[in-house]
Amino acid sequence: MTSIRNIVILTGAGVSAESGIDTFRDGGGLWEQHRVEDVATPEAFVRDPDLVLRFYDMRRAAIQTKAPNAAHDALARLDREWPGELLIVTQNVDDLHERAGARRVLHMHGEHLNVWCTACDARSRWTGPLIHRPGCPECGEAALRPDIVWFGEMPYRMDEIFAALEEADLFVSIGTSGAVYPAAGFVRNARELGAQTLELNLEPSQGSGWFDEARHGPASELVPAWVDEVLAQR
Ligand code: BJW
């Protein structure tokens, strides 16, 4: 590994799989149990809000019973100890990076434990259900929706992500299938901007061929080993 200072890490559902949170596209994953267009689009929310709210109430409750695994712990250690710039861009809507202690985390697809008021535009922390149409903590209107980026909506904080990619010496993608854009395109953006690129995933992702190096296996093994390696060459 040549000298690196600035790191951007993209994480996906595979990082949380060993914590017991379902991925989307693996066998038995969420999209085998639910049609995307029924639960993860703004049109679905207009068509059948009860179905969508129940789906997210169930998952919001479930993530609160899960705990970070060795991959989250290792990334939190890297965040604490890495002296250069570091940004963990996560597609995950759970809070396991933060519960492991990571601070430099950006949730590009939103967060289960936030709600977004479509009346006053406020975002608030929320741990309970939404199915009974509670009022917004800020304005009182019963206009809350999950603060999740659905298909067709713009992911969050893209300017910050691209600014970090421009400065990155190393881009690492962990536990993501490379099926969903714009995140799936970050490896190509990073390469064009001059970064080295590394994939850590259970199996080759859809974009595996774009990475300078790919290592395959469970995140709970690959990530701690890679973090040891990168911290050793500080
Ligand atoms: C392990 C493991 C272990 C398992 N260890 N690994 C046609 C072409 C191109 C793009 C489009 C198109 N038509 C539409 C689009 C755009 C669309 C899109 O990409 N669609 C594709 C399906 C084609 N994208 C959007 O709409 C996005 N918005 C957008 O593009 O706005 C316009 C724009 C333009 C330009 C710039 C910026 C913006 C919004 C996408 C929103 C995604 N939202 C979701 C759902 C949230 C709701 C919810 O949570 O219910 O976010 S989709 C779902 O997929 C979720 C995830 O964050 C995302 C990515 O999934 P992820 O994390 O990769 O999970 P999996 O399951 O796919 O993969 C897991 C991987 O882990 C696997 O590889 C396993 O092998 C591995 N693994 N165990 C290590 N133990």
Side-chain angles (χ1 to χ4, degrees):
M1 207 182 300
T2 54
S3 175
I4 54 169
R5 178 167 169 76
N6 301 334
I7 305 176
V8 174
I9 298 168
L10 173 69
T11 66
V15 165
S16 297
E18 291 165 84
S19 294
I21 298 179
D22 286 341
T23 64
F24 294 91
R25 296 170 186 82
D26 293 312
L30 279 167
W31 296 159
E32 273 189 5
Q33 302 158 42
H34 306 270
R35 284 170 10 120
V36 174
E37 51 280 21
D38 288 343
V39 289
T41 63
E43 294 78 14
F45 189 49
V46 170
R47 196 169 51 239
D48 193 346
D50 279 10
L51 177 74
V52 174
L53 291 176
R54 276 202 196 89
F55 176 68
Y56 286 98
D57 282 357
M58 182 188 73
R59 292 176 56 213
R60 191 179 312 104
I63 64 150
Q64 294 177 71
T65 68
K66 310 298 181 191
N69 64 53
H72 299 103
D73 291 341
L75 292 176
R77 176 177 167 232
L78 182 64
D79 182 26
R80 272 194 309 277
E81 298 184 15
W82 184 251
E85 296 294 326
L86 178 130
L87 182 64
I88 301 172
V89 178
T90 188
Q91 298 170 87
N92 295 345
V93 292
D94 65 53
D95 62 341
L96 296 187
H97 284 307
E98 287 89 343
R99 278 202 268 145
R103 292 290 168 265
R104 292 181 273 182
V105 181
L106 184 162
H107 284 269
M108 67 177 290
H109 289 164
E111 297 181 58
H112 271 318
L113 299 183
N114 276 354
V115 284
W116 172 24
C117 177
T118 56
C120 74
D121 206 31
R123 258 104 181 159
S124 310
R125 186 168 165 82
W126 198 268
T127 54
L130 291 176
I131 190 70
H132 303 301
R133 309 299 198 279
C136 167
E138 297 294 326
C139 73
E141 288 291 317
L144 297 175
R145 60 162 268 187
D147 189 14
I148 301 283
V149 177
W150 287 323
F151 283 105
E153 297 183 324
M154 184 63 87
Y156 295 153
R157 299 166 66 183
M158 292 300 297
D159 290 351
E160 282 173 65
I161 296 172
F162 277 107
L165 287 172
E166 276 177 19
E167 298 301 318
D169 304 305
L170 176 64
F171 171 78
V172 187
S173 171
I174 308 175
T176 174
S177 61
V180 175
Y181 286 84
F186 291 166
V187 58
R188 274 176 277 175
N189 303 133
R191 276 176 78 105
E192 283 161 14
L193 293 163
Q196 297 172 55
T197 55
L198 169 66
E199 169 170 276
L200 305 176
N201 203 48
L202 193 59
E203 58 195 7
S205 71
Q206 291 187 21
S208 219
W210 290 100
F211 290 86
D212 296 316
E213 185 188 348
R215 301 179 190 174
H216 298 129
S220 63
E221 294 174 16
L222 293 184
V223 179
W226 170 70
V227 167
D228 284 346
E229 222 173 274
V230 81
L231 285 175
Q233 59 98 63
R234 265 175 294 182

